[in-house]
């Protein structure tokens, strides 16, 4: 620090902050956003210093990003960093306090490691004649008040601060920091150190600002007068359209809308409402936003079908023929549609049913809906509900919102063009809800035959009749559908296909479709029945046929490549031996590997949204303290089933020859493979009980028998669901004996005949009957499948052979 009388007072080597579009002044707070690397580096370096000082220099060319020392003014302001706030996108906001005016030595400005440095010399303030300075200061204050009166954008805090400042140099700094003055003028005033000269230039700047303000006001008044004149002229022209037709044909547009409304044969109340809207439209300019809102509303009303209707197929046999031609199987659906047509033909009018097709993916839920529309001779509309979570998508938005439109229900009706289409609501179990509402609640009105005749969309604001629409919904599982909504629908379950059904579907539909899609004909490629079955068993085990279709497409493409290389090659016939040559090693192992007799491993059956499947429950003992460990991503219900099974085994340990101390000196680990797949449900109860008992006794379990059933603490085997899907899964992997709860015997009538012929179902009432059948040493453990089936055939019409009198169940005796 040197004496005030000297030219230089402070000298520091400081990081330089290049500032664009602003000039930093002493005695003021400077706030700016930083995003450039050179500026970020300067702020970082200064923040790491104890004094936190930077030299802020204004950039000469604001549009330039890459700054060099020659691009900066040499006179600026030394400031102290007060606050640094992190913003999004790597940008920071910096708040500094200006301390004193300083000049960077020209030869000292240099760049080091991405940061510009410079030696800053403080420029002291020079005072002249005190009387002259006071006179200029007073004049400047008066001019500032005039500028403040004309410019209302200066903050009130700055006005209050200016009234309290007595120092002329500080007054100029604070005033300039708040005023809208050119950057070069501000920089010139910053560089001036003599107070009197600075006041002179400041007054000249103030006079210029006053003149500019007067000119701005004059221009604004002229523009406002011109706008008022244009509005008045526009209003007059709108009032006398008949004279000035060259300005528009809006009256003609009103007449066109009026004619369309009258010819549409709308309901009387809605017609009256639309005519009122047309009358309102005629009283406003066509450029008005409300004018556009009205025309959009009228367009939407006119686009909707109100009386247009298609005629249903008259002959039932024609409808059945179309359904049979498009789909193989699905007898329940075909029967239900035939019933609907028969009743409609007899009554002449009836409310359309609300059907819900539930089944695993790929079984034909969506495609059968399209076939139903074709069979009935109706239009078809599909609406996907996966991920829909806003109620407004169903009911629409009110016209008060910008860009409001009708909901997707009326949008679908507009696309159909008739009041009685087949409307498919796909994946209704995938609906979700959030703060914007629950769309499932909106469907309570849409899918209720007693209410949907007066469905009210928020945009149309008039009851719309949906009672003649044949709504069909699809779902993979009923679990995701709320109970009130499920109650309004007629549930039709679609189970997975058998091997024979898949083979027939492939021959009738999939192979011809893929041949055409890949540029082949039946003369180029033939896939034998054995080839299709090999593809199904080795590559596409699934409930539906979607993967099967893709795999057949792969076969066709492989052959298409050969034909593309040699168009004269002979026709190709794919049999069971040739399929692996095109598709590689089969994805699924032979079924014989599943039939090994093991200790603690039991084959169970499960049902998922994707169809039935088999699962192996494994149990093993390890030295420990009697703890139960469950793995395999099991749900709460399945964990409770394992606990109940273990409790039953412990309660009957004496009966099965298990020492009591074995439960306290060993830990039991129950695992269900495919650990990444979530599993839940009670139907694995008897499977777990069998695995646990096998682990504690060391007895082998038959691997050719599958089972399903819930277990109670008393050892009762309780009914389960999804028997058809589970049976198809068992047959798919080659299992021919299945143990089911006695309470599920009634469900056997729903199974395909080929499944009942191929699988021996043994109903059981208590879990000890299961042990007798599948555990080593059990009464029927050594019976082969053929012996079991022979016993069933010898029983004649009896569902299953009668066991010894000691057993109260129905079963088999070898």
């Amino acid at each position: 620090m040197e004496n005030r009388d000297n030219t230089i007072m402070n000298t520091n080597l400081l990081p330089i902050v290049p500032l664009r579009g602003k000039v930093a002044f002493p005695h003021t707070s400077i706030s700016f956003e930083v995003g450039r690397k050179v500026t970020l580096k300067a702020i970082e370096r200064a923040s790491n210093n104890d004094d936190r000082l930077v030299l802020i220099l204004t950039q000469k060319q604001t549009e330039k990003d890459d700054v060099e020392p020659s691009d900066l003014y040499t006179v600026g302001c030394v400031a102290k960093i007060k606050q640094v706030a992190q913003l999004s996108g790597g940008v920071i906001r910096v708040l500094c306090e200006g301390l004193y005016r300083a000049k960077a030595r020209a030869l000292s400005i240099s760049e080091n490691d991405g940061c510009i440095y410079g030696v800053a010399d403080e420029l002291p303030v020079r005072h002249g004649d005190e009387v002259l300075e006071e006179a200029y200061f007073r004049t400047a204050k008066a001019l500032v008040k005039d500028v403040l009166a004309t410019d209302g954008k200066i903050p009130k805090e700055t006005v209050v601060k200016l009234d309290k400042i007595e120092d002329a140099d500080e007054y100029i700094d604070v005033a300039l920091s708040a005023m809208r003055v050119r950057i070069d003028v501000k920089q010139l005033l910053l560089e001036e150190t003599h107070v009197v000269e600075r006041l002179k230039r400041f007054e000249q700047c103030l006079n210029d600002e006053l003149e500019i303000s007067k000119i701005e006001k004059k221009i604004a008044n002229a523009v406002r007068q011109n706008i008022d004149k244009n509005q008045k002229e526009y209003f007059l022209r709108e009032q006398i359209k008949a004279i000035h037709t060259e300005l528009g044909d809006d009256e003609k547009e009103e007449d066109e809308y009026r004619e369309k409304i009258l010819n549409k044969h709308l309901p009387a109340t809605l017609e009256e409402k639309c005519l009122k809207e047309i009358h309102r439209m005629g009283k406003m300019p066509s450029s008005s936003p409300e004018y556009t809102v009205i025309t959009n509303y009228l367009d939407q009303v006119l686009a909707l079908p109100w009386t247009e209707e298609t005629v249903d197929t008259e002959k039932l046999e024609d409808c059945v023929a179309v359904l049979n031609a498009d789909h193989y199987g699905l007898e329940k659906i075909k029967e239900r549609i035939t019933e609907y047509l028969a009743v409609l033909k007899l009554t002449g009018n009836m409310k359309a049913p609300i059907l819900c097709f539930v089944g695993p993916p790929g079984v034909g839920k969506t495609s059968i809906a399209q076939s139903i529309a074709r069979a009935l001779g109706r239009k078809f509309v599909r609406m996907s509900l996966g991920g829909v979570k806003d109620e407004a998508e169903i009911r629409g938005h009110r016209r008060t919102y910008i860009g409001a439109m009708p909901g997707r229900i009326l949008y679908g009706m507009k696309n159909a063009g008739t009041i009685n289409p087949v409307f498919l609501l796909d994946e209704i179990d995938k609906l979700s809800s959030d703060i914007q509402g629950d769309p499932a609640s909106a469907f309570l009105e849409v899918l209720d035959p007693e209410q949907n005749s007066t469905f009210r969309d928020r945009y149309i604001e008039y009851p719309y009749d949906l009672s003649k629409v044949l709504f069909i919904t699809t779902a993979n599982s009923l679990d995701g559908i709320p109970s009130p909504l499920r109650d309004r629908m007629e549930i039709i379950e679609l189970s997975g296909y058998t091997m024979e059904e898949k083979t027939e579907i492939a021959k009738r539909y999939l192979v011809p479709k893929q041949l055409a899609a890949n540029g082949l004909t039946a003369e180029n490629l033939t896939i034998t029945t054995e080839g299709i079955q090999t593809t199904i068993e080795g590559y596409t085990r699934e409930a539906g046929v979607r993967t099967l279709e893709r795999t057949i497409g792969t076969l066709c493409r492989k052959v298409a490549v050969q034909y593309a290389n040699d168009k004269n090659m002979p026709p190709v016939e794919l049999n069971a031996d040739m399929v692996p040559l095109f598709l590689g090693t089969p994805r699924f192992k032979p079924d014989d590997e599943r039939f090994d007799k093991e200790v603690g491993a039991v084959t169970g059956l499960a049902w998922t949204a994707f169809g039935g499947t088999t699962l192996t429950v494994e149990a093993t003992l390890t030295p420990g303290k009697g703890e139960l460990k469950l793995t395999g991503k099991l749900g709460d219900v399945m964990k409770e089933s394992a606990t109940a099974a273990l409790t039953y085994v412990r309660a009957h340990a004496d009966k099965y020859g298990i020492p009591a101390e074995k439960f306290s000196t060993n830990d039991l680990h129950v695992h269900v493979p495919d650990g990444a797949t979530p599993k839940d449900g009670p139907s694995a109860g008897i499977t777990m009980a069998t695995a646990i008992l096998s682990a504690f006794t060391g007895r082998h379990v038959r691997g050719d028998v599958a089972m399903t059933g819930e277990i109670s603490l008393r050892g009762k085997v309780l009914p389960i669901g999804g028997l058809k899907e589970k049976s198809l899964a068992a047959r798919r992997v080659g299992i021919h004996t299945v143990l089911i709860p006695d309470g599920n015997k009634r469900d056997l009538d729903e199974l395909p005949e080929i499944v009942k012929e191929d699988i021996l179902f043994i109903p059981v009432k208590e879990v000890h009957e299961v042990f007798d059948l599948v555990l080593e040493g059990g009464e029927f453990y050594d019976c082969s499948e053929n012996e079991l089936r022979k016993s069933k055939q010898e029983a004649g019409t009896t569902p299953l052979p009668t066991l010894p009198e000691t057993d109260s169940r129905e079963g088999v005796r070898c």
Side-chain angles (χ1 to χ4, degrees), residues 1-53:
M1 184 80 175
E2 297 186 12
N3 193 287
R4 274 271 182 190
D5 296 334
N6 295 331
T7 305
I8 298 173
M9 298 175 61
N10 252 340
T11 301
N12 289 312
L13 179 64
L14 300 175
I16 295 177
V17 174
L19 195 62
R20 289 198 286 193
K22 285 185 178 181
V23 176
F25 288 94
H27 313 107
T28 62
S29 295
I30 308 109
S31 176
F32 52 90
E33 292 182 359
V34 176
R36 292 184 293 179
K37 291 183 179 180
V38 63
T39 314
L40 289 171
K41 207 74 174 178
I43 297 299
E44 178 185 353
R45 296 290 174 83
S47 299
N48 294 331
N49 297 332
D50 293 335
D51 54 12
R52 298 171 66 87
L53 296 180

Side-chain angles (χ1 to χ4, degrees), residues 142 169 171 187 197 260 347 354 386-387 412 417-418 444 448 475 484 542 578 602 640 645 702 726:
D169 189 73
Y171 187 93
Q187 181 65 31
E197 291 298 322
K260 290 178 181 178
T347 61
I354 312 295
T418 63
L444 294 178
D448 190 341
E542 57 176 340
M578 293 186 65
V602 186
E640 292 171 358
R702 292 181 62 157
K726 294 176 180 178

Side-chain angles (χ1 to χ4, degrees), residues 362-379:
V363 296
K365 299 184 296 294
T366 303
S367 60
I368 190 64
Q370 293 176 307
S371 296
I372 290 172
R374 197 165 72 89
L376 296 176
R378 295 189 179 189
K379 300 287 187 178

